[in-house]
Structure formats: C-alpha cells, structure tokens
Amino acid sequence: MDNLNEYNVDGSLLGLGQFVLLEILSKIKLPQDAQQFLAVCKKIYQLQNHPRFEKIIQSIIQIEPIFIIKESSQGNSEENKFLHSDENEPCVIALDPVISEGIVRLEIIFENNRGRLSGIGIADASCSFDVGKMPQDNENDKKTVGYWSNGTLDHFSTYAKGNQWYHQRFRISAIVDMTAVPRKVVFYVDGIEQPNSVVEIPSEIRFWLSPQETLASPLYFEIAKWAAALWNKQQARYYNLGNDSKVEERDAMEILQNKGQALLHPPLPMINRVINKIKEELTQGKLIVPVWKRQI
C-alpha cells in the first residue's frame, strides 16, 4: 500500500470486525477504560456476548504479584505464595507492580504464624526494604503504612489502635483508591472494613507483606470491581453485595421498591435488568447510562 488512505477502515472504529474489537479490548489496562470502550456503541457493547469476553475482562482485573526477594535467607516464592525462611528475623517483602492509578485491592491470608506479629501495608514506590529490617526502618517511617496483626495501624511512627486483631487463616485486604481526593488506603478483615485508614498516600505505591515465620498467600491482587462502597459512595445510604458493615442493604435488585429516590449507576450488563426492575416496582430515581448517539 503506497497511500495512507488504503489503510482506512470503512466506518472508522465501528467498521472493525468483532475479533479486532476484542483484540483492542484485550490491550486495555484499566476496568474504567474498558467500560468506556464498551459504551461507545451497541456493536461494541455486544462484545459481552462473545465467549472470549469474560476471560479478557478477568485479565484486565487481575494483577500478577511479583515478590521482590533480595536474598534467599528471606525465603522463596511458589506461584502466588511467599514462604518465609526459618530465619528468626524480621522479613518485609514488597510486591511489584507499582500502583499509580485506579482502585486496587490486595487480599492475603497468613498461615502458620505461630502467634508472631505479621503485617500488610503500602509504601512509597521509592522505598527499599533492607534484609532483616522492619518496613519503617531506615527512614521509611514517613513513607509507609502498616496494618499489624495486633490491630495497630502504623504511620509516621505513630501506632493507632482500634482495628481488629487477626491471626492465621484470616483474610486481610488492603484497598488503595488512587482516584479519590485525597488518595487513601482502607483495610478489611474477613470482609469487614476497619475503622482506621490513611489518606494522602503517595501517588505511586507498592504493597508489602511482613510474614514472620509464616507463609503468606495472596488470594486476590486485582483492580477492584466498581461497586458502591464506603470509599466511593455518592449517597449516605448505599447497597453493596460485599461484607461492608456500613451498607443499608445487600442486593438492590431485591429491595428497590419503597426506598425513596435512588441514584442508579449499574454495570453495563445490568442496564436492561435495572430498567425492567424500575418498571415493575414503579421506583423513582436517576439512572446513569451511556449515550449512544449512533445506533448500530
């Protein structure tokens, strides 16, 4: 092809075939960008019916954890698990990649900690943890946030009490919201949000784990799914299917009726179901949906 116009596709983006559009979708890194792409028009929206769609979306959401192990004395990794060595010394393992955008969740479980102090937290991406040191050592105290198994929250060399203690087999989550103003990190134990959190976190962070004589298994390391929660709610009353202690109800599809005027911003696959629910229950509210100016 000698002329650039020979590369043009009839109908621009909308003239591309389904497989090419799926390939474009697979290259998107953030869920919110994927959501905007799906909202361009009905043709792209219908990609959700393709067998490959769910796998592509899962690849966008999931993040592959990479343990930064500096010396073999710290331990070793097996797939998504970090196994601490038998050395009786502090151990802090940072995780790649660096997080700088979106809402990201890390959920782990500590095993075989034998009552030793374990922790999960975040650090400025510039932090480097020396072998045998705690995360706040070497002037890292102003660059790290740690939630320890004794229930304390460590930040700026202060220890705030009030969060739940945890031990082996508890599911511990840290969720960073890089979209919030100010940016923040919130912690959960077995799905229950903890009262102490930290705002004004750095613009680029890494998660870290401190398993003392224990095995740490990241269960989920993902870009958090979009749902109403304490950190992104737009109304004082909100619904969430998760174990959020602040929600008014769990399943909005079951209890929309007689609940006043609702603010509804459903995921794209749920739009038709929500509209039908509104019609059935004669519910009043505001429904936020994409505007398709060009129908295909």
Side-chain angles (χ1 to χ4, degrees):
M1 299 184 189
D2 297 327
N3 299 319
L4 288 178
N5 61 5
E6 294 182 23
Y7 290 89
N8 292 342
V9 177
D10 185 26
S12 186
L13 176 67
L14 305 183
L16 297 175
Q18 191 177 52
F19 291 108
V20 177
L21 291 172
L22 285 168
E23 188 64 23
I24 294 173
L25 179 62
S26 70
K27 302 301 182 182
I28 295 176
K29 295 182 178 180
L30 294 175
Q32 57 266 40
D33 293 339
Q35 191 171 32
Q36 291 179 0
F37 179 67
L38 290 169
V40 169
C41 66
K42 282 189 175 181
K43 178 178 180 180
I44 297 178
Y45 176 75
Q46 289 171 354
L47 292 177
Q48 296 173 96
N49 299 323
H50 194 278
R52 287 178 55 197
F53 176 80
E54 185 174 347
K55 186 176 181 180
I56 291 173
I57 292 300
Q58 194 67 16
S59 69
I60 294 173
I61 292 175
Q62 293 291 335
I63 301 175
E64 185 70 25
I66 301 173
F67 300 100
I68 302 177
I69 303 173
K70 293 187 173 181
E71 293 184 9
S72 59
S73 61
Q74 293 178 289
N76 60 86
S77 61
E78 295 180 1
E79 297 180 350
N80 71 325
K81 295 183 179 182
F82 173 77
L83 290 84
H84 190 354
S85 67
D86 292 332
E87 299 286 341
N88 187 19
E89 63 178 17
C91 178
V92 181
I93 300 297
L95 297 176
D96 270 336
V98 170
I99 306 301
S100 61
E101 55 188 346
I103 303 174
V104 181
R105 173 174 71 129
L106 173 65
E107 181 173 307
I108 68 167
I109 184 169
F110 290 111
E111 302 178 48
N112 306 323
N113 65 353
R114 288 173 279 181
R116 295 290 301 276
L117 188 68
S118 300
I120 178 176
I122 64 168
D124 189 293
S126 65
C127 285
S128 179
F129 300 120
D130 290 343
V131 176
K133 299 292 184 179
M134 297 296 285
Q136 65 270 28
D137 291 341
N138 296 336
E139 300 183 351
N140 284 338
D141 56 310
K142 293 181 175 60
K143 300 179 181 180
T144 57
V145 176
Y147 176 27
W148 298 97
S149 54
N150 61 4
T152 58
L153 190 65
D154 175 19
H155 184 46
F156 276 82
S157 297
T158 60
Y159 293 85
K161 297 181 179 180
N163 285 359
Q164 180 182 336
W165 60 269
Y166 57 86
H167 53 74
Q168 62 185 16
R169 307 307 302 170
F170 278 49
R171 301 166 72 96
I172 318 302
S173 300
I175 298 179
V176 294
D177 187 349
M178 309 303 278
T179 68
V181 180
R183 295 177 295 271
K184 56 185 169 181
V185 57
V186 182
F187 297 94
Y188 290 75
V189 176
D190 283 344
I192 305 300
E193 183 180 347
Q194 299 304 295
N196 293 327
S197 59
V198 175
V199 298
E200 296 184 353
I201 63 176
S203 59
E204 295 186 336
I205 63 98
R206 283 188 178 91
F207 287 98
W208 57 260
L209 308 174
S210 184
Q212 307 304 325
E213 294 190 21
T214 189
L215 180 150
S217 306
L219 302 178
Y220 299 98
F221 191 11
E222 65 182 11
I223 299 171
K225 299 176 179 64
W226 292 101
L230 188 61
W231 66 87
N232 69 351
K233 64 183 177 66
Q234 300 299 308
Q235 303 289 335
R237 299 160 55 197
Y238 63 100
Y239 302 154
N240 188 326
L241 287 171
N243 294 321
D244 188 339
S245 61
K246 304 294 185 181
V247 299
E248 180 170 309
E249 299 285 356
R250 301 295 177 186
D251 190 352
M253 297 304 296
E254 295 296 329
I255 38 74
L256 271 178
Q257 67 273 23
N258 302 320
K259 287 291 182 177
Q261 186 160 338
L263 177 63
L264 307 170
H265 189 186
L268 293 177
M270 292 285 292
I271 290 175
N272 289 336
R273 186 181 171 196
V274 170
I275 291 174
N276 290 334
K277 179 71 173 178
I278 292 173
K279 291 179 179 178
E280 291 173 4
E281 303 293 347
L282 300 178
T283 300
Q284 295 184 351
K286 296 179 181 179
L287 178 64
I288 302 173
V289 295
V291 175
W292 283 307
K293 295 182 179 180
R294 179 173 179 177
Q295 303 294 320
I296 292 187

